[in-house]
Amino acid sequence: MRAMLLERPGEDLHLRTDLAVPHPGPHEVLIRVKACGVCRTDLHVRDGELEHPKLPLVPGHEIVGIVEARGSGITALQEGDRVGVPWLGWTCGECGFCRSGRENLCDRARFTGYQIDGGYAEFTLADERYCFPIPSGFDDIAAAPLLCAGLIGYRALKLAGVAKRLGLYGFGAAAHIAIQVARHRGQDVFAFTKPDDAAGQDFARSLGAVWAGGSDTAPPETLDAALIFAPVGALVPAALKATAKGGTIVCAGIHMSDIPSFPYRILWEERVLRSVANLTRQDGEEFLAIAGGIPVRTTTTPYPLSRANDALADLRSGRLEGAAVLTMQG
Ligand SMILES: [Zn+2]
Ligand SMILES: [Zn+2]
């Protein structure tokens, strides 16, 4: 089979055309990949900012595909079923986090496209217990960004609590889905982009932002909560300054540049600063039902598998509108 392999962090991925199709073990299904979203986390893995990846590694954790074969012990999935494979690939079920409904924090969790080979390939394996059915209203490419960008944005929205005026810092794949969920919940969204990104600000307004501007400007109204998707630590004090008493700031990325020191008074008055890590299967089930019901509309830029490096470069430079998605043609 063909796959794009990370052989050494810091280097481009390599196209391989001669890999063996993997064989499903217990609880695993073999999936013929139809589309795989490109997430900023893939860029952090590629750049070596996340330590100790499996090597060589097939990245990719926003996988949409068709079950092609089943290993032993499979109870739910059938050959031909369309499934989604997210970042959370396996948890122990035994640690204190797993036993308290927080499997996203499992001490022994394994993640797709990081410790487990992912979806930048024609075939991949996944534990059926961590796969999700894909709502029927989405084609394969449109569904791919739901599996991380959508899911993490949804978990971040939940953690931000009740907030009429919601700030979104960084308007990429995650924010363009989160705004649709937030608006469906009746929230007013204020979108922050890079200061000179007029196209990104137009995109945010086209999706219903009541205001869009550069992250170096103050919003016209005080925010009740903010989600930070851009991996830029300097946005943390900016978001705190823009947020009202009691408001929550959620850092939604897996990696961020250092946060500059800031005066205590901008955290004072019960503002909450927190991160969001990974997902639980319950998040996935809830979010996919909501996304199908609204329905969420994703904006995607498809790339053939062999151009995964170009997709990562475009994500890095911010040239993309919405989400990059790899397809298995070409
Ligand atoms: Zn665990
Ligand atoms: Zn991701």
Side-chain angles (χ1 to χ4, degrees):
M1 68 170 188
R2 293 185 308 133
M4 292 296 287
L5 273 190
L6 178 69
E7 283 162 4
R8 210 173 317 178
E11 294 181 3
D12 277 348
L13 312 183
H14 293 117
L15 176 65
R16 293 284 299 270
T17 59
D18 56 349
L19 298 180
V21 174
H23 190 76
H27 297 293
E28 286 181 334
V29 286
L30 174 67
I31 295 168
R32 179 185 290 276
V33 179
K34 307 292 279 186
C36 184
V38 176
C39 174
R40 184 169 291 280
T41 297
D42 303 341
L43 205 48
H44 295 313
V45 172
R46 181 251 178 245
D47 289 347
E49 289 166 336
L50 298 189
E51 291 188 323
H52 309 303
K54 171 192 178 293
L55 288 175
L57 172 73
V58 180
H61 56 271
E62 298 183 295
I63 304 167
V64 178
I66 303 292
V67 175
E68 186 95 356
R70 312 190 310 159
S72 62
I74 297 293
T75 57
L77 295 178
Q78 306 291 334
E79 278 96 352
D81 286 352
R82 186 168 75 143
V83 292
V85 183
W87 170 246
L88 187 74
W90 185 84
T91 57
C92 76
E94 296 168 350
C95 72
F97 294 103
C98 283
R99 285 188 286 124
S100 57
R102 295 179 291 167
E103 66 181 359
N104 61 307
L105 301 177
C106 172
D107 287 330
R108 293 161 58 203
R110 286 155 52 80
F111 299 105
T112 311
Y114 183 30
Q115 287 113 357
I116 305 170
D117 280 332
Y120 288 18
E122 289 178 305
F123 293 93
T124 193
L125 298 175
D127 188 313
E128 77 154 349
R129 297 167 294 186
Y130 297 83
C131 295
F132 299 120
I134 299 288
S136 58
F138 295 87
D139 68 31
D140 298 330
I141 292 173
L146 301 176
L147 288 158
C148 185
L151 256 166
I152 292 291
Y154 173 69
R155 187 171 173 86
L157 275 174
K158 282 207 300 188
L159 295 182
V162 177
K164 177 66 178 164
R165 290 156 302 183
L166 177 74
L168 300 180
Y169 286 78
F171 205 83
H176 100 284
I177 298 173
I179 189 175
Q180 298 178 56
V181 179
R183 289 197 6 98
H184 187 74
R185 290 159 38 139
Q187 293 172 285
D188 293 335
V189 173
F190 297 75
F192 298 81
T193 69
K194 285 179 186 161
D196 55 353
D197 185 5
Q201 292 161 22
D202 286 345
F203 182 46
R205 280 186 287 264
S206 77
L207 289 170
V210 297
W211 175 90
S215 57
D216 57 342
T217 52
E221 298 175 52
T222 306
L223 307 175
D224 297 311
L227 315 183
I228 302 179
F229 293 113
V232 180
L235 294 174
V236 170
L240 280 167
K241 283 179 197 163
T243 299
K245 292 182 278 191
T248 299
I249 313 295
V250 182
C251 301
I254 196 167
H255 179 86
M256 187 180 245
S257 58
D258 285 354
I259 300 169
S261 72
F262 53 82
Y264 177 61
R265 64 180 160 73
I266 67 174
L267 179 63
W268 165 242
E269 293 170 321
E270 300 196 343
R271 291 176 185 84
V272 175
L273 174 61
R274 68 173 302 165
S275 63
V276 57
N278 314 317
L279 65 136
T280 65
R281 284 171 281 182
Q282 188 182 338
D283 294 329
E285 283 152 22
E286 284 175 17
F287 169 66
L288 290 169
I290 290 168
I294 292 176
V296 165
R297 294 282 175 241
T298 56
T299 298
T300 55
T301 303
Y303 293 76
L305 175 65
S306 58
R307 289 191 55 217
N309 289 310
D310 296 334
L312 287 166
D314 291 348
L315 176 58
R316 185 193 302 281
S317 71
R319 274 193 292 269
L320 283 163
E321 190 166 276
V325 179
L326 301 182
T327 67
M328 296 307 130
Q329 290 88 45

